[in-house]
Amino acid sequence: YPTILAKFYEEGYPYLTGVRKLMAKYGKSPAAMATKAFHSLVRSDPVNAVCNGFDSSAVLYFTMFWEKYGSTQWVPFHRKSDREIELMETKERQAYIRHCARIDVDSREAYEIKEQGSVLQDLQIDMPLTRLIADVTSNWKQDLQEFLSPQGFLESDADASGLRAAKCGADLLPDPTPEEWSSWSGVLKAFDGFKVSKRGSAPNKHTEALQRVVHLHGKSPSVVALDRYATVVVQEFGKDSVEAAAVSSFAEFWKER
């Protein structure tokens, strides 16, 4: 794991902390983590919804990394002895310690203990029953049973006001149907000529960046044109990124198509 994480970091891939956490949590081989089956497993984990799709996005980037570097002969990370570390210059020693902290992966047992220690105490919150059950009747006890698990907990998450948490993140947006996905070739061809028709013979500079986000997130044209998707791309790549500009241009194209 450490050697792979070091390469992942050196190549500038995002979500390093997410990949490191998933390595500790699941303990799977790198090749297994770069599969659609593992992505589906992580995506279905309720924790993924709580963190707005952070974990499943980490799998997407790790899959991209592994497709490119998976055939590398990974040499185990050589750790310096305590004596070697002591003999380092202060600046060099601090950099080495930071590097080790960046690529070190906890054992599964250590990860679980750390996670348990970070869990806050259970808070008991009074909540109007009508916020949970819109059509509550006088037989409210029976009505409530339909919303509880056998252990007596709410089946659906709700905040202190009784409202449901709003999910966000590209990985939690609807997946395309086979017809929608197959339409991308024609849509991209039309989009490539979109700016051409408006600005003379200049090529569409956004097509390549749009292809990257389509390959990364795997969403339909109608989803990529949504404001919500644009927000996700801005959060992921930055508001001044070429990806954000490409999605904004595509949304304009989609409205005028």
Side-chain angles (χ1 to χ4, degrees), residues 87-178:
L87 293 175
M88 286 180 171
E89 294 290 337
T90 302
K91 187 175 181 180
E92 183 184 3
R93 180 170 59 251
Q94 291 175 343
Y96 176 76
I97 292 173
R98 285 196 302 271
H99 176 68
C100 289
R102 185 184 299 121
I103 64 175
D104 273 343
V105 177
D106 293 327
S107 66
R108 187 163 187 175
E109 294 76 11
Y111 167 78
E112 290 177 353
I113 292 173
K114 185 183 295 184
E115 286 295 298
Q116 291 168 2
S118 65
V119 175
L120 298 175
Q121 291 183 348
D122 184 25
L123 299 178
Q124 303 301 317
I125 301 173
D126 290 331
M127 186 188 300
L129 190 60
T130 51
R131 286 293 185 90
L132 290 176
I133 312 174
D135 56 349
V136 62
T137 67
S138 57
N139 189 18
W140 62 270
K141 291 185 178 180
Q142 181 60 40
D143 295 338
L144 184 59
Q145 288 300 317
E146 298 178 5
F147 289 79
L148 300 179
S149 68
Q151 292 76 28
F153 295 100
L154 287 174
E155 293 277 25
S156 301
D157 290 335
D159 62 18
S161 64
L163 302 177
R164 300 292 186 264
K167 298 179 179 179
C168 63
D171 201 47
L172 295 175
L173 290 170
D175 287 328
T177 63

Side-chain angles (χ1 to χ4, degrees), residues 188-255:
L188 285 172
K189 183 177 181 180
F191 176 68
D192 192 48
F194 176 56
K195 291 299 181 184
V196 175
S197 62
K198 300 184 71 175
R199 300 180 183 178
S201 59
N204 189 342
K205 63 181 181 180
H206 298 303
T207 305
E208 185 176 343
L210 183 68
Q211 286 178 313
R212 286 200 299 271
V213 295
V214 170
H215 173 73
L216 175 63
H217 295 141
K219 301 304 174 183
S220 67
S222 59
V223 169
V224 173
L226 294 175
D227 290 342
R228 181 178 173 188
Y229 182 79
T231 300
V232 170
V233 172
V234 168
Q235 291 174 341
E236 191 166 323
F237 295 96
K239 65 178 182 179
D240 297 322
S241 64
V242 293
E243 289 81 5
V247 170
S248 176
S249 178
F250 181 77
E252 180 184 349
F253 156 78
W254 195 251
K255 289 177 182 177

